[in-house]
Amino acid sequence: MQLVVARIGRAHGIKGEVTVEVRTDEPELRLGPGAVLATDPASVGPLTIESGRVHSGRLLLRFEGVRDRTAAEALRNTLLIADVDPDELPEEEDEYYDHQLMDLDVVTKDGTEVGRITEISHLPSQDLFIVERPDGSEVMIPFVQEIVTEIDLAEQRAVIDPPPGLIDDRAEVASTRDAEASSAPETASVPEAESAPESGDES
């Protein structure tokens, strides 16, 4: 299974380094030296990571064969894609790869059907479930512990305790076209409070 783990940003310096927008909670595993990554667009890859370092809070990568600023800048906005075993699980107990959450039935604590997860949107402030309701409309549900009280992979369901107005007729309905992220990052996690998670597959 292929998962987007990063997006290449602008060139850094003159020796081929690039800034990277990380889209995985496991950058040490997915973006370490020697990692071979597919790309979107496919024509510029695969890319092999030669080295990486953190500079001013940003991850910088250098790829084999990319030796100058011009070559680095040509990679801008390229998505980096890792092959992941579908049976692999995130290291943290409260984290899930996006593919684990897709198509889960969403129900309230009293068993009322809400809909089905069709997309996970990773925003700077929090992760959101995009849930398709039985009438075809979509509702955004913040993936925070106060609202999403249980993820039951065995039963293929997510249990929620929504505040007033979240899923009733006053709920904010949105199209997936309005989601800020064009491609889901690799994992989603449940923050302890409604503040921003540390990262932002999994998928």
Side-chain angles (χ1 to χ4, degrees):
M1 180 179 63
Q2 292 190 317
L3 299 172
V4 174
V5 294
R7 182 180 67 85
I8 297 175
R10 64 178 183 271
H12 178 85
I14 61 173
K15 296 183 179 180
E17 285 186 311
V18 295
T19 61
V20 173
E21 175 190 317
V22 177
R23 296 189 178 181
T24 172
D25 289 335
E26 301 171 310
E28 299 86 356
L29 175 64
R30 307 296 180 201
L31 300 171
V36 180
L37 302 168
T39 61
D40 181 8
S43 59
V44 302
L47 294 173
T48 301
I49 297 176
E50 182 176 285
S51 63
R53 64 189 179 97
V54 176
H55 175 73
S56 298
R58 298 294 300 272
L59 178 62
L60 303 179
L61 295 180
R62 180 182 284 115
F63 300 101
E64 291 183 4
V66 178
R67 295 301 178 202
D68 58 39
R69 187 178 183 86
T70 299
E73 191 63 31
L75 298 175
R76 192 167 185 170
N77 293 323
T78 297
L79 298 178
L80 299 177
I81 302 168
D83 284 314
V84 178
D85 186 335
D87 296 326
E88 183 179 323
L89 298 177
E91 294 181 356
E92 299 295 329
E93 184 177 350
D94 62 348
E95 290 182 350
Y96 302 90
Y97 288 130
D98 285 4
H99 74 271
Q100 295 177 288
L101 303 171
M102 291 291 290
D103 293 324
L104 292 188
D105 293 324
V106 179
V107 299
T108 62
K109 293 176 70 174
D110 63 6
T112 301
E113 179 185 5
V114 177
R116 178 178 61 88
I117 298 174
T118 58
E119 184 178 343
I120 294 91
S121 181
H122 299 272
L123 306 182
S125 59
Q126 63 190 2
D127 296 328
L128 295 174
F129 290 161
I130 309 301
V131 177
E132 181 178 330
R133 307 187 72 174
D135 64 2
S137 64
E138 293 177 331
V139 61
M140 297 186 294
I141 297 178
F143 189 18
V144 295
Q145 199 168 50
E146 293 84 352
I147 296 175
V148 182
T149 61
E150 180 184 0
I151 297 292
D152 189 337
L153 296 180
E155 296 294 330
Q156 286 291 285
R157 69 177 185 178
V159 180
I160 66 172
D161 184 16
L166 182 63
I167 63 171
D168 61 20
D169 291 340
R170 294 169 294 157
E172 181 179 3
V173 177
S175 165
T176 55
R177 291 190 299 271
D178 295 330
E180 289 187 20
S182 60
S183 179
E186 188 182 2
T187 66
S189 59
V190 186
E192 294 182 357
E194 292 193 25
S195 58
E198 292 183 1
S199 69
D201 202 240
E202 199 141 322
S203 28

